[in-house]
Amino acid sequence: MVFLQFLMGQADKILIGFYLNAREVGIYAVAMGLVAFVPSVLQAVNQIFTPTIAELHARGDHELLRRIFQTLTKWILGLTIPLITMLLIFAHPLMRIFGRDFEAGWSVLVIGTLGELIDCGVGSVGFLLLMSGNERRLLRIQMVMSAGIVGLNLFLIPRWGIVGAAVASTVTNIITNLWCLKEVHHVLGLFPYTRSYYRLLAPVAGSFAVLWLARSWFSAFQPAVVMGVSVILAYAVFGAIALLFGLDADDRLLAGAVWTRLRGGVSGAR
């Protein structure tokens, strides 16, 4: 699985170097490096949620596993959307920070970011398969999609350049995650989406408004400063609105558990 993940993550750069040139490889690598920050919340949750999946599945507590999966997926998506919005709105000035030549990679940044939206939107589906004894299903998905991404890159890079590589990576990412979600629903009976997702609309709208206004009103200022300040404000607005209007009973239970864990960690560090 690790080998297949490596192949899926590096095939695009190798083939860009083969078909194009070092300049294109550099632009693509920087853009996709920024995209790699998008699933940070998902990766953090995976580290914590993985042993819980195995424990709950082993003792047959599927109802609690379902509730945790739904709640975590909702907040993975919610907490990732402000970052995704910032990357989409500031794609041009963000790439320009690295130099004028890198600005050409803004479309790669946008395409890759949209792919990660799906990745975060389905939650920890890969780990659910892996930690519930369904690793063969995950392996089959990865084998098919590894061949798929190589084939797409071979077809698209000579025609569309680095945009073709971004499309190949994003299409593969989307299909892989939706396929894993389908398998999780089929073998475990778990599905992450409920009406409680509507509670994210107000926090997401607030964070989007902050970022859009910052892009419109402060474009003359230093882009790095504007982006840094605006994304902090966007998360602050998201958090404030979510605390006021966006929490249901499961959310409060999860928030309390996280707060207790964090407080215990800080006390232990002292």
Side-chain angles (χ1 to χ4, degrees), residues 1-253:
M1 287 184 183
V2 172
F3 169 74
L4 292 173
Q5 289 172 353
F6 176 82
L7 179 63
M8 293 174 70
Q10 304 302 322
D12 48 0
K13 301 177 187 67
I14 294 171
L15 291 172
I16 289 171
F18 179 78
Y19 281 111
L20 304 177
N21 52 60
R23 177 180 179 275
E24 299 295 313
V25 174
I27 295 172
Y28 183 84
V30 168
M32 294 305 287
L34 293 172
V35 171
F37 283 98
V38 174
S40 299
V41 176
L42 173 62
Q43 291 165 1
V45 168
N46 285 341
Q47 297 300 315
I48 301 169
F49 188 38
T50 298
T52 305
I53 296 171
E55 179 185 352
L56 293 177
H57 180 74
R59 72 186 194 206
D61 197 344
H62 293 286
E63 175 60 22
L64 181 56
L65 181 59
R66 178 187 63 81
R67 289 171 60 189
I68 292 176
F69 176 45
Q70 290 173 344
T71 303
L72 287 177
T73 303
K74 178 174 66 177
W75 289 107
I76 289 168
L77 178 61
L79 291 171
T80 303
I81 285 178
L83 177 58
I84 287 176
T85 305
M86 188 275 286
L87 292 175
L88 295 177
I89 291 177
F90 290 95
H92 270 285
L94 183 56
M95 290 302 297
R96 197 184 305 131
I97 290 174
F98 303 97
R100 288 285 179 181
D101 289 340
F102 286 92
E103 190 175 358
W106 74 269
S107 55
V108 172
L109 177 57
V110 169
I111 295 169
T113 299
L114 292 174
E116 291 300 333
L117 175 62
I118 304 300
D119 187 12
C120 297
V122 300
S124 306
V125 286
F127 281 95
L128 277 167
L129 292 174
L130 183 64
M131 302 304 292
S132 63
N134 294 287
E135 66 280 352
R136 290 186 179 181
R137 293 176 182 269
L138 179 59
L139 180 60
R140 182 170 65 247
I141 293 170
Q142 290 185 337
M143 290 176 65
V144 172
M145 298 316 301
S146 296
I149 194 170
V150 172
L152 280 173
N153 276 303
L154 288 171
F155 179 76
L156 293 176
I157 290 175
R159 292 164 175 79
W160 296 350
I162 59 175
V163 173
V167 170
S169 178
T170 297
V171 168
T172 305
N173 194 9
I174 291 172
I175 295 175
T176 299
N177 281 287
L178 293 179
W179 192 351
C180 286
L181 178 62
K182 178 179 179 296
E183 291 292 331
V184 165
H185 184 57
H186 175 69
V187 300
L188 299 176
L190 300 177
F191 198 65
Y193 309 116
T194 65
R195 291 183 178 180
S196 67
Y197 277 67
Y198 289 119
R199 294 175 179 266
L200 292 177
L201 291 177
V204 166
S207 63
F208 177 83
V210 169
L211 291 165
W212 183 261
L213 291 174
R215 180 73 171 89
S216 303
W217 292 356
F218 302 105
S219 57
F221 291 84
Q222 179 61 246
V225 175
V226 173
M227 283 183 281
V229 172
S230 62
V231 77
I232 292 172
L233 289 175
Y235 271 105
V237 170
F238 180 94
I241 298 176
L243 288 173
L244 289 173
F245 306 109
L247 300 183
D248 58 20
D250 285 344
D251 298 332
R252 294 188 183 92
L253 182 64

